[in-house]
Amino acid sequence: TELCDAWEKIYVDPKWDRFAALLKEQLFKPTTNPSGKLVVFTESKETAYYITKKLAEENITRVLTISAANRHAQHDAIQENFD
C-alpha cells in the first residue's frame, strides 16, 4: 500500500516523453512512414492501455489496442489494417 501511494505521486514519465517526441519528430513523418501506421508491442496489457490513454491526450485517437482479452473480437480489424 505504501509503494502504491508513493507511485500515485509521480507525474513524470521520461519513457513516454521520449516516445511522444519520436512519434512527432520521426515515426509519423510521411517520408519515414508513408502509410501512417505504427505497431507498438508490449508485454503488458496495462502498458498497452496506458499508451492508448497517453496517445489520446496527444490527440492521437486512431488507435487499435489489442490484448488477449479482445484479439478474437478484433480479428477483422487487425486483418483490415495490418495484413
Side-chain angles (χ1 to χ4, degrees):
T1 303
E2 185 179 325
L3 181 59
C4 288
D5 290 342
W7 187 254
E8 290 293 322
K9 296 175 185 171
I10 297 175
Y11 296 103
V12 295
D13 184 348
K15 284 185 181 181
W16 169 257
D17 294 340
R18 181 66 183 132
F19 182 64
L22 283 170
L23 287 172
K24 292 175 185 171
E25 297 165 6
Q26 292 180 10
L27 299 174
F28 281 130
K29 286 174 82 173
T31 54
T32 305
N33 181 359
S35 73
K37 295 180 181 181
L38 181 68
V39 177
V40 178
F41 290 95
T42 179
E43 188 173 320
S44 165
K45 172 180 67 173
E46 290 79 10
T47 301
Y49 288 106
Y50 172 79
I51 291 171
T52 301
K53 177 183 159 234
K54 296 296 281 183
L55 288 169
E57 291 172 7
E58 299 286 331
N59 293 316
I60 301 172
T61 56
R62 294 185 62 204
V63 176
L64 181 60
T65 305
I66 305 297
S67 71
N70 71 354
R71 71 177 174 198
H72 294 296
Q74 294 290 344
H75 182 269
D76 292 341
I78 295 168
Q79 279 194 314
E80 180 181 313
N81 286 282
F82 297 103
D83 230 2

